[in-house]
């Protein structure tokens, strides 16, 4: 009697359908009745798989017509896998007419693709559920093994697609000119080998995700915003300008908006004064200041036009921004290293990370629009103490030569000299454009981190003022930190070299990647989600590429 067939697929229904899916009319899927025929009455599932994959082109894309009438495409890796000498059409997730436990687990994992900001439908999850519902509706006995073969193929293809998107992202950064970091390598792990090691589908998926803390923080932000989306979003604020001490119905709107925030601190502060909802009290001011700070606004605690605009961005927009930015993490190497420098150009911030913990943070100034700081990765090789500045030809042409034409004494006044090749160099000194420290990671754009005498710019909310290089708020602290962990000199020795006034090059002896990245959404260690302005318009380019990809 084929009772095992009924038990196996019923388990899958309890797990995959009863919890996550409904039938077409909105009712939960039915349970599978016991069948009265033996397994031997059904054609072999393996034979069906071989027949479905019969194609004159080895390991090519195959478009199936499923038994229930749908079409479903299998990628080359899936076809190659089933045609391999090890499998020769053997099912992966089913056996006979049973759905194996790993098949149940895979269906559950595909159903949770939304946790990564991905669509389960892209991985055949609803197709798999409909096949199971069909099997539970007592189809003709002659079709059961065909349905099981379809299910096995759909699940393998779904896993391969999910694995590829997790390891490489859904948008090709090569089509976005601003991104110069090689995309993560395609997923090449052998599925069979992973299962032989005893890995569950959930463990496989977790290993395929970008490692480290940043990606999981983004996942948590997705979950919070989806909860708010499911509850109807946050209320609009229709009032005009407001200041602490004001009392009006518009204040109550502002309080309600911040009380519905995705940020727990804002919720706590906004709800503290609910006994007097119309009064703009100190707690509401602090809630608004926190909101302004994490949306890259001047945090003056007043409601003005820019703050009102950010408050009224719908949760759908915020969620789409998070989804766009989590894909950027999937483009990167999934292991960033044990010790690295990370600059977020859109956030005007730098972090030094060791063993997944940020051990230093500071503000930075990046390239102004038109002098965009490029997005790339390279390895730091030297700290230059008391650097001279070799003026780039583009700056010499646009700025230095016109300045000399206006004032013949310009070079002397700015401690500059002409070089043998006709260029310009600014000698070390307190007014040098590079300040006391320069950090070199050789690259074709001649971009580096450096000090600056223009300290006032670091207090600005938007800090895009340079010609492309990255100015540091506290360069000495960075020099001392790197010296202590990645050079043969102590921080004290670095300080002595700086006080000498002489230019000195210090070799970095430990591998230290420098990632120059661009994230308009950033999630802090405490879960605070920060939304930055798209200073270079890169998000707009990505949205266009995502729309074009979705249309294919």
């Amino acid at each position: 009697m084929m009772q095992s067939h009924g038990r196996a697929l019923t388990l899958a229904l309890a797990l995959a359908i009863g919890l996550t899916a409904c039938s077409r009319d909105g009712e939960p899927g039915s349970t599978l009745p016991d069948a009265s025929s033996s397994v031997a009455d059904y054609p072999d599932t393996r034979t069906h798989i071989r027949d479905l994959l019969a194609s004159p082109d080895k390991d090519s894309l195959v478009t199936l017509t499923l038994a229930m009438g749908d079409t479903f495409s299998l990628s080359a890796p899936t076809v190659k896998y089933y045609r391999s000498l090890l499998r020769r059409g053997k099912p992966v997730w089913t056996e006979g007419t049973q759905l194996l436990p790993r098949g149940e687990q895979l269906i559950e994992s595909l159903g949770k693709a939304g946790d990564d900001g991905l669509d389960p439908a892209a991985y055949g999850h609803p197709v798999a559920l409909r096949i199971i519902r069909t099997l539970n509706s007592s189809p003709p006995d002659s079709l059961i093994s065909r349905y099981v073969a379809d299910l096995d193929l759909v699940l393998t293809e779904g896993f391969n697609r999910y694995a590829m998107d997790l390891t490489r992202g859904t948008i090709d950064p090569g089509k976005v000119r601003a991104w110069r970091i090689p995309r993560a390598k395609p997923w090449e792990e052998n599925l069979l080998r992973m299962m032989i090691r005893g890995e569950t589908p959930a463990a496989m998926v977790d290993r395929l995700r970008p490692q480290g803390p940043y990606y999981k923080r983004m996942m948590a932000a997705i979950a919070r915003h989806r909860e708010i989306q499911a509850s109807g979003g946050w209320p609009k604020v229709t009032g005009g300008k407001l200041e602490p001490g004001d009392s009006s119905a518009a204040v109550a709107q502002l309080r309600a908006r911040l009380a519905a925030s995705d940020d727990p601190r804002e919720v706590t502060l906004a709800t503290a004064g609910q006994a007097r909802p119309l009064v703009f009290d100190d707690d509401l001011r602090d809630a608004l200041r926190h909101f302004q700070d994490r949306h890259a606004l001047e945090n003056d605690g007043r409601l003005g036009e820019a703050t009102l605009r950010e408050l009224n961005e719908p949760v759908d927009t915020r969620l789409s921004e998070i989804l766009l930015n989590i894909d950027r993490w999937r483009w990167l190497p999934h292991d960033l290293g044990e010790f690295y420098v990370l600059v977020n150009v859109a956030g005007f911030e730098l972090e030094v990370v060791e063993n997944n913990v940020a051990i230093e943070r500071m503000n930075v100034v990046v390239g102004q629009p038109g002098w965009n700081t490029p997005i790339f990765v390279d390895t730091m090789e030297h700290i230059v103490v008391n650097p001279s500045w070799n003026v780039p030809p583009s700056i010499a042409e646009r700025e230095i030569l016109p300045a000399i034409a206006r004032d013949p004494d310009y070079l002397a006044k700015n401690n500059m000299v002409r070089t043998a090749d006709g260029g310009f160099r600014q000698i070390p000194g307190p007014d040098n454009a590079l300040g006391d420290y320069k950090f070199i990671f050789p690259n074709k754009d001649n971009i580096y981190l450096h000090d600056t005498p223009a300290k006032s710019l670091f207090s600005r909310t938007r800090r895009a003022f340079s010609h492309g290089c990255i100015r540091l708020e506290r360069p000495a602290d960075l020099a001392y930190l790197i010296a202590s962990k990645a050079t043969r000199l102590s921080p004290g020795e670095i300080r002595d070299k700086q006080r000498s006034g002489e230019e000195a090059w210090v070799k970095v002896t430990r591998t230290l990647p420098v990632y120059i990245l661009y994230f308009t959404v950033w999630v802090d260690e405490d879960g605070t989600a920060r939304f930055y302005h798209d200073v270079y318009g890169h998000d707009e380019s990505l949205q266009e590429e995502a729309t074009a990809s979705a249309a294919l």
Side-chain angles (χ1 to χ4, degrees):
M1 303 294 290
M2 201 185 67
Q3 295 175 342
S4 60
H5 167 59
R7 282 199 303 273
L9 289 173
T10 300
L11 285 173
L13 282 166
L15 181 63
I17 297 180
L19 297 179
T20 63
C22 293
S23 60
R24 291 185 180 180
D25 59 5
E27 296 299 322
S30 60
T31 57
L32 178 68
D34 288 340
S36 58
S37 302
S38 69
V39 175
D41 291 337
Y42 295 95
D44 181 43
T45 300
R46 187 171 188 167
T47 300
H48 276 300
I49 290 176
R50 286 176 174 173
D51 291 344
L52 289 168
L53 298 183
S55 171
D57 298 323
K58 180 176 176 59
D59 303 335
S60 62
L61 179 74
V62 171
T63 299
L64 301 178
T65 300
L66 303 178
M68 59 185 184
D70 300 56
T71 58
F72 192 83
S73 295
L74 302 181
S75 61
T78 298
V79 177
K80 181 179 179 180
Y81 178 65
Y82 280 101
R83 287 177 175 168
S84 68
L85 293 175
L86 285 173
R87 300 226 57 87
R88 296 183 179 179
K90 183 179 178 182
V92 184
W93 313 100
T94 60
E95 185 174 331
T97 54
Q98 296 184 40
L99 180 63
L100 297 172
R102 63 173 173 253
E104 301 170 7
Q105 295 161 7
L106 177 59
I107 290 173
E108 182 179 23
S109 291
L110 296 179
K112 293 180 177 179
D115 294 351
D116 292 277
L118 300 170
D119 183 1
Y123 313 113
H125 183 255
V127 176
L129 295 184
R130 285 189 2 246
I131 293 173
I132 292 175
R133 277 199 294 270
T134 301
L135 283 164
N136 279 269
S137 64
S138 301
D141 289 354
S142 60
L143 288 177
I144 287 181
S145 60
R146 170 63 193 280
Y147 280 119
V148 174
D150 288 347
L151 178 61
D152 205 274
L153 291 165
V154 166
L155 290 179
T156 299
E157 176 62 21
F159 178 83
N160 280 334
R161 292 182 191 178
Y162 194 15
M164 189 64 73
D165 284 351
L166 284 176
T167 53
R168 305 199 78 202
T170 60
I171 303 171
D172 181 1
K175 297 181 179 180
V176 182
R177 288 177 298 173
W179 192 274
R180 301 181 187 175
I181 302 174
R183 196 179 188 186
K185 291 182 179 179
W187 177 72
E188 295 178 348
E189 176 70 86
N190 185 286
L191 178 61
L192 179 61
R193 200 174 297 129
M194 295 172 79
M195 290 191 296
I196 288 173
R197 288 198 300 262
E199 291 188 63
T200 65
M204 295 180 199
V205 166
D206 193 54
R207 190 156 65 84
L208 291 166
R209 290 186 177 109
Q211 301 304 301
Y214 298 104
Y215 188 83
K216 286 185 169 59
R217 292 179 205 163
M218 295 287 277
M219 290 178 66
I222 290 171
R224 288 199 304 274
H225 283 77
R226 284 207 163 131
E227 288 175 3
I228 294 170
Q229 186 183 52
S231 67
W234 40 60
K236 273 187 167 287
V237 182
T238 59
K241 293 182 179 181
L242 294 172
E243 295 188 5
D246 287 350
S247 180
S248 68
V251 174
Q253 287 185 341
L254 175 61
R255 186 180 299 281
R257 166 62 182 88
L258 291 172
S261 171
D262 58 289
D263 187 90
R265 176 170 172 76
E266 289 161 21
V267 173
T268 299
L269 289 167
T271 55
Q274 283 186 328
R276 301 172 66 207
L278 304 183
V279 178
F280 198 145
D281 58 17
D282 289 347
D283 286 330
L284 186 59
R285 176 203 63 200
D286 290 345
L288 186 59
R289 290 186 66 182
H290 190 269
F291 176 90
Q292 290 170 325
D293 181 65
R294 68 188 187 90
H295 287 81
L297 300 165
E298 183 182 354
N299 60 343
D300 57 6
R302 297 182 176 90
L303 180 61
E305 183 179 336
T307 300
L308 183 64
R309 184 167 56 249
E310 296 294 334
L311 283 166
N312 284 331
E313 283 288 357
V315 67
D316 291 2
T317 299
R318 294 301 183 208
L319 184 56
S320 68
E321 291 170 356
I322 299 171
L323 299 185
L324 193 68
N325 279 272
I326 196 173
D327 209 49
R328 284 181 166 119
W329 285 114
R330 294 189 282 256
W331 302 347
L332 292 166
H334 284 208
D335 182 1
L336 299 178
E338 64 174 24
F339 182 49
Y340 55 90
V341 175
L342 190 156
V343 176
N344 180 15
V345 172
F348 313 115
E349 291 181 330
L350 173 147
E351 289 187 350
V352 181
V353 180
E354 187 173 37
N355 297 324
N356 290 327
V357 176
I359 59 176
E360 180 62 274
R361 289 189 181 91
M362 67 183 67
N363 291 337
V364 300
V365 169
V366 302
Q368 58 190 287
W371 294 87
N372 296 7
T373 298
I375 310 305
F376 69 103
V377 61
D378 222 306
T379 303
M380 189 176 295
E381 294 186 1
H382 290 93
I383 303 171
V384 184
V385 186
N386 299 318
S388 56
W389 179 39
N390 294 306
V391 181
S394 57
I395 297 177
E397 182 177 351
R398 294 190 197 184
E399 299 182 17
I400 305 301
L401 290 174
I404 294 172
R406 291 191 300 270
D407 181 0
D409 295 327
Y410 176 85
L411 293 181
K413 291 177 180 178
N414 289 276
N415 296 316
M416 286 186 174
V417 296
R418 282 189 179 272
T419 60
D421 60 1
F424 301 94
R425 176 184 296 121
Q426 189 177 38
I427 62 176
D431 297 322
N432 186 284
L434 304 186
D436 294 333
Y437 298 97
K438 173 182 176 182
F439 303 82
I440 297 179
F441 36 100
N443 57 86
K444 69 176 185 178
D445 297 293
N446 197 27
I447 298 297
Y448 42 82
L449 312 176
H450 66 89
D451 189 6
T452 175
K455 303 295 186 183
S456 63
L457 296 178
F458 294 106
S459 63
R460 304 278 189 92
T461 301
R462 302 194 188 195
R463 297 185 289 276
F465 297 105
S466 81
H467 292 96
C469 286
I470 299 159
R471 306 176 191 173
L472 303 172
E473 181 180 32
R474 292 181 285 103
D477 289 348
L478 181 61
Y480 300 156
L481 175 62
I482 295 174
S484 66
K485 292 180 175 292
T487 78
R488 294 187 175 90
L489 299 182
S490 68
E493 289 172 311
I494 293 287
R495 189 181 302 110
D496 290 342
K497 287 184 178 295
Q498 187 275 320
R499 288 172 177 170
S500 75
E502 298 295 323
E503 183 171 320
W505 287 55
V506 180
K507 184 174 178 56
V508 176
T509 57
R510 180 180 176 185
T511 300
L512 180 54
V514 180
Y515 295 92
I516 312 298
L517 306 177
Y518 190 93
F519 285 91
T520 52
V521 178
W522 189 268
V523 184
D524 292 342
E525 290 172 329
D526 64 359
T528 299
R530 299 185 178 276
F531 296 87
Y532 297 120
H533 304 291
D534 186 15
V535 63
Y536 296 155
H538 293 341
D539 279 11
E540 184 177 352
S541 298
L542 282 177
Q543 291 285 12
E544 291 173 358
E545 177 60 30
T547 301
S549 298
L552 295 178

